[in-house]
Amino acid sequence: MCCFRVPRMPPYLNVYPPNPEQHKEVLISSSGQPFPWNHMRLPKTVSPLHYDLGIHPNLTTLDFTGVVRIQLQVHEDTGVIVLHAKQMQITEALLLAPEGVRPLRVLEYPPFHQLALLSDTLLTRGRTYEVLLGFAATLSDSFHGFYRSSYHTSSGAVRVLASTQFEATFARAAFPCFDEPAFKAKFTIRIIREPRHIAVSNMPTVKTVALPGGLLEDHFDTTVKMSTYLVAYIVSDFLSVSRTTQRGVKISVYAVPEKIDQTAFALDTAVRLLDFYEDYFDIPYPLPKQDLAAIPDFQSGAMENWGLTTYRETALLYDPDKSSPSDKLAITKVIAHELAHQWFGNLVTMEWWNDLWLNEGFAKFMEFISVNVTNPELHVDDFFLGKCFEAMEVDSLPSSHPVSTHVENPMQIQEIFDDVSYDKGACILNMLRDFVTPEAFEIGIIRYLRRFSYQNTVSRHLWESLTDLCSPDLLDQGDRKHTEFCSARNRPSGASKWYSGDELDVQAIMDTWTLQEGFPLVTVEVRGREVRLSQERYLKTDEPSLTDGFLWQIPLTYVTSASSTIRRFLLKTKTDVLYLPQEVDWVKFNVDMSGYYMVHYEGDGWNAIINLLQHNHTVLTSNDRASLVHDVFQLVSVGKVRLDTALELSLYLSRETETMAVTQGFQELVPLYKLMEKRDMAALENRMKSYIVDLFRGLIDRQEWTDSGSVSERVLRSYLLLFGSVRNYPPCVEKATQLFNAWRASGGHMSLPVDVTMAVFTVGARTPEGWDFLFERYRTSLQMSVKSRMKVAMAFSPLQGKLTRMMEQSLRGEVMKLQDLPDVLVTISRNPHGYKLAWDFLRANWHTLIKKFDLGTSLVAYMVNGVTNQYSTTEMLDEVKLFFGSLTEETGSEMRCIQQTYETIGDNIRWMDAHLPHLQAWLDKRSSHTVHEDL
């Protein structure tokens, strides 16, 4: 970015806050002049109304130029306009005022990505002006801003394209703008391209103009009012397929030409989902089209740009013959997520990133609501619980943050794109929906979206919209759903609230879930008909004082041995008592785990539940059983339950057949031997592995090596056969070896059952010849889901030289894409033959990784936590601290994921020190039942 010499500023150029005593520091611009603003957030003296943006990317020289005209509304007299620009050369700066065109002087302050445009005449409150800025920059070689991507054709030719990723703070790297979500404006975009390419953006093309030199300029229709992070454009050689929704919205899916035949499923899914959302939200989709584009290089899973959603290829492309049920479920969910954003996030946007959860938590929640209706065969409900467990894993650490949390700089903003904002946000919304009833929840959401369309909101606005739903002065008589709902509630037969007392104060309840970090552990003690309740924060720490001062309003649900009717109780205080109609043998709280809390059964409570599971486990739902498995093992970590109690409960799993409960059993048991792997405790480690194989042996033996059954059954089959193969269970290894050898002998052309390919590839990758064959097939395959399974299998090979080659290949981005490196690295770190290699690679390439993936992003956190979270010795904790402690703030020392890593390893050490003797004793006690060799 070029700088202009600036003379001394006249007094009216001041745009400091009203109380400058609070912020005395004067920032110095890159030219050495004082910069006239000293906050990370932009001043509100002016705001944009409309951007007229022209962009000319050159896909040969890999740079771009542009011109933007921004129409501004002035709110306070000023002589300075402060906006964003990052790593950009400003070639021209003009003020287009009614009095004429005048040059603007430019200062830059790179640490805040800010430009100051200085006018020698006063901009008057209440008037509108235009500024014109010419600019130039290089297409980014990361995954943010306006960046370059490429792919290889089947003939080996390289094709280059340019695409955008602006969330959260990267629009400023593509054009000068007011890059904060509250500065909404309309955008009219023009893109210059070569005839061999196409250009797409948020809106349809209205005309294409021929330019000198054989270039073309596409003019796009003006957008609706929206935030900068939702602007998008792509210049590529993509092809597309299209269909129209019931209301006439054109849906198109774009992909590289050789993969266009993998777009049919995404197209059908998008049409169904957009129709669903228009009905559910009772608000028409406001744009004439919705494009879905599969980008060869893409860091996140997908992005909700209004009218042009962008995706990783694996998140959009589906081959009916090669993709698995898990692929179908994942693709459907990610499309559902991005299309939900078109209303929740795009139409109504959080005012600032501290309320990111309003966007992401809701879109994650709507994945399950929408897919359950549009694709019931996918049984999406079977997988929601796992999201809550994942959120609790992060939320149980001292370094967790509130759902609605203070953020200021770009790194802090990037960091909250995490399990707390997404998964915890979804889980507390699910709890609220169950609490107020699904019908009331839907009416409140519709009210919220209508009231704040094209505006910005804070969490309080959502809670207000869910309160006093049928108050006469708030009832929208023009809203069919709202009127019918309130009429039904007023009839004697209508659904009544399950809670007692005055009108529900949604905000008072939900503030306890969004404004404080963590989640509650509810302790239950049954004494006759009396049920004593208490709550505390569940926290994995050796500092008990950190749990003090936390209190939630918890919507409890429970069933008992005497009644399967779900009963409810709102726990508002630290302790309380409820009374049962009669004495019972057992009570199960948090029915189906609809609430975001864990439960500890004091006294004889766990023994009663263990007895129930061992003798009649199907009395409880699959989700209830999964939540019991989860809670009992998590309570071991904080000393509430003995390990042998948890292991006794796990014995019932030998009779379990449901996906969620089985997979949760694996999730709790497998990490126990993974911790031992890092301590070189082969004997005890192998005994634990043998116990798990024995536990699930019957279920593994019943699996057929075919693609039959429901989606849940097929997902479970793939999971079990892979586990059996990895654990060297002879029937699995023999079958997988036989299939791999036949598949390899056919040159990879033999059709394998999709559900067994992970097991087959993983066993095949154990030999150098098998690994090399997989790598070659990976290089030439056009099926993204098949490539994903090959990648995981190769990363779990015992061949260390091959593992190192994979990481190096991914970093270079040749055969394996750089976007795949985090997955490769984390998978290798979970490989007992590779975890040391992964840690060494992370350290050696740290500076390259944070440049490519950007500080604070979820992928950097994923690599840091994924590579280190199974360490369990003080020596490794010291080594990890030595490396991360050597970093500076600029190289990531302040990232939350580093603190999470320290806490996780510390918790692992405490667990091993406290519970290994109990594990040894329990396995000794069971040794007489173990008849199989260690596997």
Side-chain angles (χ1 to χ4, degrees), residues 424-691:
K424 180 179 179 178
C427 294
I428 64 174
L429 285 170
N430 184 61
M431 179 173 65
L432 178 61
R433 179 175 182 260
D434 179 71
F435 186 52
V436 301
T437 74
E439 297 79 14
F441 183 84
E442 183 177 351
I443 295 303
I445 293 308
I446 292 170
R447 178 200 280 183
Y448 170 81
L449 291 172
R450 288 189 172 186
R451 183 182 296 177
F452 297 105
S453 290
Y454 304 104
Q455 298 178 60
N456 297 84
T457 61
V458 295
S459 296
R460 170 175 51 83
H461 294 134
L462 178 59
W463 311 142
E464 289 170 352
S465 299
L466 284 156
T467 303
D468 296 326
L469 285 176
C470 294
S471 173
D473 57 329
L474 295 176
L475 180 60
D476 183 355
Q477 298 294 341
D479 183 342
R480 173 185 55 82
K481 286 189 177 183
H482 200 168
T483 304
E484 290 176 357
F485 170 77
C486 293
S487 298
R489 275 187 47 169
N490 290 331
R491 290 194 294 268
S493 60
S496 61
K497 302 190 193 87
W498 59 262
Y499 46 85
S500 60
D502 299 329
E503 179 62 43
L504 181 66
D505 188 345
V506 174
Q507 181 170 346
I509 295 169
M510 296 308 294
D511 278 353
T512 70
W513 295 94
T514 60
L515 300 182
Q516 60 185 349
E517 68 271 24
F519 61 93
L521 168 63
V522 176
T523 297
V524 176
E525 185 177 10
V526 181
R527 295 187 179 181
R529 290 179 50 222
E530 185 179 271
V531 182
R532 299 185 178 186
L533 304 166
S534 64
Q535 63 163 295
E536 62 187 294
R537 183 183 177 189
Y538 176 88
L539 190 65
K540 292 180 178 177
T541 180
D542 52 2
E543 298 180 45
S545 62
L546 294 177
T547 65
D548 295 342
F550 287 82
L551 186 69
W552 286 265
Q553 293 196 26
I554 311 172
L556 301 178
T557 56
Y558 63 98
V559 292
T560 70
S561 59
S563 174
S564 60
T565 300
I566 300 175
R567 300 183 184 275
R568 305 174 187 270
F569 185 85
L570 185 62
L571 179 61
K572 294 183 177 183
T573 51
K574 196 77 172 174
T575 62
D576 209 335
V577 178
L578 65 83
Y579 294 90
L580 302 173
Q582 64 194 91
E583 291 191 16
V584 297
D585 296 327
W586 54 264
V587 59
K588 165 64 172 74
F589 274 80
N590 202 359
V591 179
D592 282 333
M593 201 173 160
S594 58
Y596 186 72
Y597 58 94
M598 294 197 327
V599 184
H600 171 43
Y601 300 92
E602 250 187 2
D604 200 44
W606 279 112
N607 289 334
I609 284 170
I610 290 169
N611 184 60
L612 172 67
L613 290 174
Q614 288 177 343
H615 293 94
N616 194 12
H617 68 277
T618 56
V619 168
L620 298 175
T621 66
S622 172
N623 274 6
D624 274 332
R625 304 193 303 266
S627 70
L628 288 168
V629 172
H630 171 267
D631 287 6
V632 75
F633 276 94
Q634 295 305 309
L635 290 170
V636 172
S637 294
V638 294
K640 295 285 188 181
V641 171
R642 286 175 54 91
L643 177 60
D644 54 3
T645 301
L647 291 169
E648 287 295 323
L649 184 144
S650 75
L651 288 169
Y652 106 89
L653 289 166
S654 64
R655 294 183 298 282
E656 184 60 82
T657 59
E658 296 293 332
T659 301
M660 192 63 236
V662 170
T663 54
Q664 196 55 40
F666 280 109
Q667 293 295 325
E668 301 300 339
L669 292 167
V670 168
L672 305 191
Y673 74 70
K674 299 303 288 184
L675 295 179
M676 297 176 211
E677 283 179 351
K678 311 304 182 292
R679 285 197 174 193
D680 298 322
M681 308 177 65
L684 186 59
E685 171 194 331
N686 284 329
R687 292 182 65 194
M688 188 64 201
K689 291 174 180 177
S690 294
Y691 169 64

Side-chain angles (χ1 to χ4, degrees), residues 46-325:
V46 301
S47 62
L49 299 173
H50 181 265
Y51 293 80
D52 190 310
L53 174 63
I55 296 284
H56 181 193
N58 188 319
L59 300 190
T60 302
T61 59
L62 301 179
D63 53 20
F64 64 96
T65 57
V67 176
V68 63
R69 286 175 55 152
I70 310 174
Q71 185 184 24
L72 301 171
Q73 180 77 48
V74 179
H75 305 292
E76 300 291 341
D77 289 357
T78 185
V80 174
I81 299 163
V82 182
L83 71 167
H84 288 113
K86 180 181 180 183
Q87 296 176 344
M88 186 175 294
Q89 180 187 13
I90 302 300
T91 57
E92 187 176 22
L94 300 173
L95 175 68
L96 311 180
E99 298 79 17
V101 177
R102 305 183 65 87
L104 292 167
R105 292 157 290 163
V106 180
L107 289 177
E108 65 164 325
Y109 186 66
F112 289 2
H113 309 153
Q114 288 177 359
L115 290 180
L117 309 178
L118 283 66
S119 170
D120 56 8
T121 60
L122 187 68
L123 279 64
T124 308
R125 176 181 177 177
R127 295 181 62 183
T128 59
Y129 298 82
E130 283 191 330
V131 296
L132 182 148
L133 297 169
F135 56 94
T138 301
L139 287 170
S140 172
D141 63 353
S142 69
F143 300 92
H144 299 110
F146 194 23
Y147 71 95
R148 60 181 183 263
S149 174
S150 64
Y151 68 94
H152 288 83
T153 67
S154 56
S155 64
V158 177
R159 299 280 188 265
V160 178
L161 60 133
S163 184
T164 58
Q165 171 61 38
F166 291 163
E167 191 179 39
T169 59
F170 298 103
R172 64 191 67 173
F175 61 97
C177 58
F178 295 79
D179 198 16
E180 294 179 7
F183 286 107
K184 288 191 170 187
K186 295 183 176 182
F187 296 80
T188 304
I189 295 172
R190 294 167 288 112
I191 298 177
I192 297 175
R193 60 175 172 88
E194 296 178 65
R196 64 194 174 104
H197 293 133
I198 64 164
V200 289
S201 186
N202 304 84
M203 296 295 286
T205 308
V206 291
K207 66 177 178 179
T208 299
V209 177
L211 300 179
L215 297 175
L216 300 174
E217 184 177 61
D218 292 321
H219 293 235
F220 298 93
D221 207 350
T222 300
T223 70
V224 295
K225 187 179 177 185
M226 66 186 197
S227 305
T228 49
Y229 76 89
L230 296 170
V231 174
Y233 36 87
I234 303 168
V235 177
S236 69
D237 65 348
F238 287 177
L239 299 179
S240 66
V241 294
S242 302
R243 271 185 56 195
T244 304
T245 68
Q246 293 175 2
R247 275 196 59 258
V249 177
K250 183 181 180 183
I251 309 286
S252 302
V253 181
Y254 287 82
V256 303
E258 290 182 311
K259 296 175 185 174
I260 197 66
D261 59 346
Q262 298 177 50
T263 56
F265 176 74
L267 182 61
D268 292 343
T269 299
V271 169
R272 276 201 309 276
L273 284 163
L274 203 71
D275 284 334
F276 168 83
Y277 285 134
E278 287 197 315
D279 177 68
Y280 185 89
F281 296 135
D282 207 19
I283 298 172
Y285 175 72
L287 305 186
K289 61 96 171 174
Q290 168 63 232
D291 297 334
L292 300 83
I295 311 298
D297 298 280
F298 199 79
Q299 178 166 318
S300 56
M303 176 58 204
E304 67 264 24
N305 318 299
W306 216 345
L308 175 53
T309 52
T310 47
Y311 301 77
R312 270 199 186 199
E313 290 184 322
T314 50
L316 197 66
L317 303 181
Y318 180 84
D319 184 329
D321 298 322
K322 302 288 186 182
S323 299
S324 71

Side-chain angles (χ1 to χ4, degrees), residues 341-451:
H341 272 312
Q342 307 302 300
W343 286 265
F344 232 98
N346 298 8
L347 183 66
V348 180
T349 312
M350 77 265 136
E351 187 172 296
W352 179 243
W353 297 106
N354 64 300
D355 274 325
L356 171 71
W357 85 275
L358 282 174
N359 281 18
E360 298 300 349
F362 198 88
K364 176 62 67 175
F365 168 72
M366 286 306 301
E367 291 178 25
F368 294 89
I369 298 299
S370 61
V371 175
N372 193 41
V373 174
T374 60
N375 295 74
E377 76 284 357
L378 295 179
H379 301 289
V380 70
D381 284 347
D382 289 351
F383 305 95
F384 182 75
L385 212 55
K387 296 289 119 185
C388 301
F389 295 151
E390 288 173 19
M392 285 177 164
E393 188 69 25
V394 176
D395 212 15
S396 65
L397 299 174
S399 57
S400 186
H401 62 85
V403 166
S404 182
T405 188
H406 174 79
V407 290
E408 195 71 13
N409 62 51
M411 188 191 81
Q412 292 170 344
I413 293 168
Q414 288 295 135
E415 282 191 310
I416 61 167
F417 285 79
D418 64 0
D419 287 345
V420 172
S421 297
Y422 284 72
D423 296 342
K424 180 179 179 178
C427 294
I428 64 174
L429 285 170
N430 184 61
M431 179 173 65
L432 178 61
R433 179 175 182 260
D434 179 71
F435 186 52
V436 301
T437 74
E439 297 79 14
F441 183 84
E442 183 177 351
I443 295 303
I445 293 308
I446 292 170
R447 178 200 280 183
Y448 170 81
L449 291 172
R450 288 189 172 186
R451 183 182 296 177

Side-chain angles (χ1 to χ4, degrees), residues 725-726 732-734 736-737 740 758-767 793:
S725 299
V726 169
C732 290
V733 174
E734 290 164 11
T737 302
F740 183 82
M758 272 300 302
V760 171
F761 292 162
T762 300
V763 169
R766 291 176 175 177
T767 67

Side-chain angles (χ1 to χ4, degrees), residues 707-725:
D707 286 339
S708 59
S710 69
V711 169
S712 291
E713 290 168 338
R714 294 182 63 185
V715 169
L716 184 58
R717 173 188 298 125
S718 182
Y719 194 104
L720 289 166
L721 295 181
L722 175 62
F723 174 78
S725 299

